[in-house]
Amino acid sequence: MKNYFILLLLIAQTSFAQETLTLENAVSIALEKNYDVKIAELQQKVAETQVFKGNAGMLPRLDFNSNAGTAFNEVKQVLANGSETNRFGTNLTPSANLAFAWTLYDGKRMYAVYDRLKNQSQLSQIQTRIAMENTMANVMAAYYEIMRQKQTVRFLETIIKYYEERLNITDQRWQFGKGSKLDFLQSKTDLGTQTSLLVQAKTDLRNAKVTLNNLLAREPNMDFDVQEVVALTFDPSQEDLRNRARTANKTLQAFRKATDITVIQQREAASLQLPRVTLNSSLGYSLSKTNAGLFLYNQNYGLNTGVGLTWNIFNGQITRRQIQTTKINTEIAKKQEEDWSVQLENDLVRAYNQYQTDKEILKLEEEYNQVAEENMKISLEKFRLGGSTILEINEAQRSLNTSLNRLTNARYNIKISELQLLRLSGELVK
């Protein structure tokens, strides 16, 4: 029976255990549920459904047309031979036809349109990748922010233990008449300051989790824990990054594809200067039936076939201006692509330099933190034995506090720098 209750207790503890959300799981959830990604994927589907030959005008068109009408007439006729007709009658005129039309040649415009539709679909795919990349970057940055706030809470809790120990020492000294009340009050005030900072840090941690839950399309109050991601797995050379960015950067790919589309639009506009040849055919049936008039019954079957030629000679220079406009748009697209390419290279160099600096700073802060912790322990022991003043222990605590804060920020900054390099080089979404 005792073992049974122990088992129930373990099950209850497991059911209420806090979820540990890994970075990989967070990214996976975001790509599946984030609204920006969903919208981009739906827009991509719309673009993909437009890519078919019929939409480019390459396939024939077949229409069935029918009509049925009736009329009521009062007929009065006097013929040359003297006969007369004076009658009220009805007229029934049903008709139907099957019309066939096929554009045989239009200056190759249909092929240009088909190429444009395919390139627009490819551009939509790239835009979906950009949406995924933005979402991943936001999720990773939010995840790293939770890591930073979690580390801030932890180092404040560590600092507070030293302040509590200092408070106990000054309290005992004051109670036994070996120290001043001023030292006790100062220690209590400093402890209160650190406790207040801890309360705020815990609030910042909860709000950071709310931000990540929003990106994952989850309930804002859903609680979870995160794994600390400290190891650096991305350390290429600057030249390698630049080569990757030239081919893999998603925004640069989008600019290139937009340029390709404007070039195709030039072909579309130029095709308007050439003739258009169409094949037309119609199979029809018509009937006219009346009880008043000269022809009481008339029925026709017919098949018509022909080739049509249309060639615009002059339309007020509209076509010419369209061609000029597409050429200008191509130049604009090329300039935008060149501008982004230059900006990308500059951003990449700056990000690489910052990444190298952040690595060096992180290494230094880890070393300084070890020194600050050792200094804090020695100073606290000296203060306990009466070998140092409260000013000295206070300075040691302030140094450790500053060191831990800088170390936490250094760990966060290096991950953000790594994220920026992955994004610029196109390695974030493959």
Side-chain angles (χ1 to χ4, degrees):
M1 190 69 177
K2 181 179 179 181
N3 292 335
Y4 176 74
F5 282 114
I6 292 175
L7 179 61
L8 288 179
L9 180 60
L10 291 174
I11 294 174
Q13 289 177 344
T14 303
S15 63
F16 288 102
Q18 192 179 46
E19 172 197 4
T20 299
L21 182 67
T22 65
L23 180 59
E24 292 77 10
N25 288 340
V27 170
S28 178
I29 293 171
L31 294 180
E32 180 183 355
K33 296 185 177 181
N34 184 269
Y35 293 112
D36 290 339
V37 175
K38 284 185 175 181
I39 291 172
E41 289 175 342
L42 291 173
Q43 290 173 338
Q44 178 182 334
K45 288 183 179 179
V46 170
E48 289 173 350
T49 57
Q50 301 302 310
V51 185
F52 59 98
K53 293 184 177 181
N55 197 25
M58 301 174 71
L59 299 179
R61 177 180 178 131
L62 187 63
D63 295 311
F64 175 74
N65 306 293
S66 64
N67 183 50
T70 185
F72 301 95
N73 303 304
E74 184 176 354
V75 180
K76 292 184 179 180
Q77 294 178 336
V78 178
L79 302 181
N81 58 8
S83 62
E84 294 184 7
T85 301
N86 189 353
R87 185 183 306 157
F88 179 82
T90 59
N91 184 23
L92 179 63
T93 56
S95 64
N97 77 305
L98 198 60
F100 175 86
W102 193 359
T103 301
L104 302 178
Y105 179 78
D106 62 351
K108 296 186 177 181
R109 184 174 184 272
M110 64 182 75
Y111 297 100
V113 172
Y114 190 56
D115 287 342
R116 174 171 56 80
L117 292 173
K118 289 191 291 185
N119 277 268
Q120 287 175 339
S121 175
Q122 293 167 3
L123 176 58
S124 181
Q125 293 175 8
I126 296 172
Q127 290 170 340
T128 299
R129 297 292 182 184
I130 291 175
M132 294 171 64
E133 188 178 70
N134 292 337
T135 298
M136 286 182 63
N138 292 334
V139 168
M140 292 172 72
Y143 194 93
Y144 296 150
E145 177 62 23
I146 295 174
M147 283 172 45
R148 175 164 71 167
Q149 296 301 334
K150 181 181 176 181
Q151 290 172 6
T152 300
V153 169
R154 187 166 62 241
F155 90 67
L156 284 172
E157 289 174 343
T158 301
I159 286 291
I160 285 175
K161 290 180 181 179
Y162 287 115
Y163 276 89
E164 289 174 343
E165 190 169 353
R166 168 186 155 186
L167 179 63
N168 291 332
I169 294 172
T170 54
D171 184 28
Q172 290 175 6
R173 286 184 178 181
W174 174 49
Q175 296 295 339
F176 289 101
K178 294 183 179 181
S180 68
K181 185 177 182 181
L182 182 61
D183 289 349
F184 169 73
L185 294 176
Q186 183 63 49
S187 298
K188 193 171 185 178
T189 300
D190 291 343
L191 176 60
T193 300
Q194 297 302 318
T195 303
S196 177
L197 291 175
L198 177 59
V199 171
Q200 183 60 51
K202 289 181 177 180
T203 301
D204 293 339
L205 176 58
R206 289 194 297 269
N207 288 337
K209 291 181 179 181
V210 170
T211 299
L212 182 56
N213 280 330
N214 180 45
L215 292 171
L216 303 185
R218 306 199 303 182
E219 288 294 326
N221 292 324
M222 182 178 291
D223 195 17
F224 58 91
D225 193 14
V226 296
Q227 289 183 345
E228 295 191 23
V229 184
V230 180
L232 302 177
T233 58
F234 187 70
D235 193 21
S237 66
Q238 185 177 140
E239 187 60 31
D240 187 27
L241 284 171
R242 293 165 71 178
N243 291 333
R244 293 185 190 184
R246 292 188 187 103
T247 57
N249 181 270
K250 304 302 180 293
T251 304
L252 185 57
Q253 289 178 352
F255 276 114
R256 286 172 178 165
K257 188 57 63 177
T259 302
D260 293 342
I261 291 173
T262 59
V263 172
I264 295 172
Q265 289 173 335
Q266 285 189 53
R267 290 164 49 197
E268 287 186 59
S271 68
L272 298 176
Q273 296 178 316
L274 299 174
R276 178 186 179 91
V277 179
T278 58
L279 173 65
N280 302 293
S281 181
S282 176
L283 176 63
Y285 167 80
S286 64
L287 171 66
S288 176
K289 185 177 181 181
T290 180
N291 61 354
L294 184 61
F295 299 101
L296 301 181
Y297 186 88
N298 185 20
Q299 179 177 267
N300 291 304
Y301 298 94
L303 174 63
N304 301 316
T305 302
V307 177
L309 173 66
T310 303
W311 195 350
N312 177 257
I313 304 301
F314 181 76
N315 64 351
Q317 295 188 341
I318 294 176
T319 300
R320 181 181 177 185
R321 295 303 174 91
Q322 287 179 341
I323 295 173
Q324 291 177 347
T325 300
T326 55
K327 289 181 178 179
I328 294 172
N329 288 336
T330 299
E331 288 299 317
I332 292 173
K334 288 181 179 179
K335 295 299 181 184
Q336 290 174 335
E337 179 185 336
E338 292 171 2
D339 178 62
W340 175 253
S341 181
V342 173
Q343 180 180 338
L344 172 62
E345 189 159 344
N346 282 275
D347 290 345
L348 198 58
V349 171
R350 284 194 293 266
Y352 182 80
N353 292 338
Q354 186 62 52
Y355 182 65
Q356 298 301 322
T357 300
D358 288 338
K359 285 201 301 183
E360 186 176 352
I361 290 175
L362 177 60
K363 183 179 179 181
L364 292 172
E365 293 300 340
E366 288 175 343
E367 294 175 357
Y368 294 156
N369 181 250
Q370 291 178 358
V371 174
E373 285 185 352
E374 185 177 358
N375 180 54
M376 179 70 244
K377 292 177 181 178
I378 294 173
S379 298
L380 186 62
E381 189 62 27
K382 286 178 64 178
F383 184 69
R384 181 183 291 108
L385 299 175
S388 63
T389 66
I390 193 170
L391 293 178
E392 293 175 349
I393 187 66
N394 191 38
E395 182 61 29
Q397 287 176 320
R398 186 181 297 109
S399 297
L400 179 59
N401 195 343
T402 303
S403 175
L404 286 171
N405 186 52
R406 288 205 312 256
L407 178 59
T408 298
N409 289 330
R411 288 171 176 170
Y412 171 78
N413 291 337
I414 190 66
K415 298 307 294 183
I416 293 298
S417 296
E418 183 185 42
L419 172 60
Q420 181 70 355
L421 281 181
L422 285 168
R423 188 173 186 177
L424 289 173
S425 62
E427 295 295 310
L428 195 59
V429 177
K430 294 184 178 182

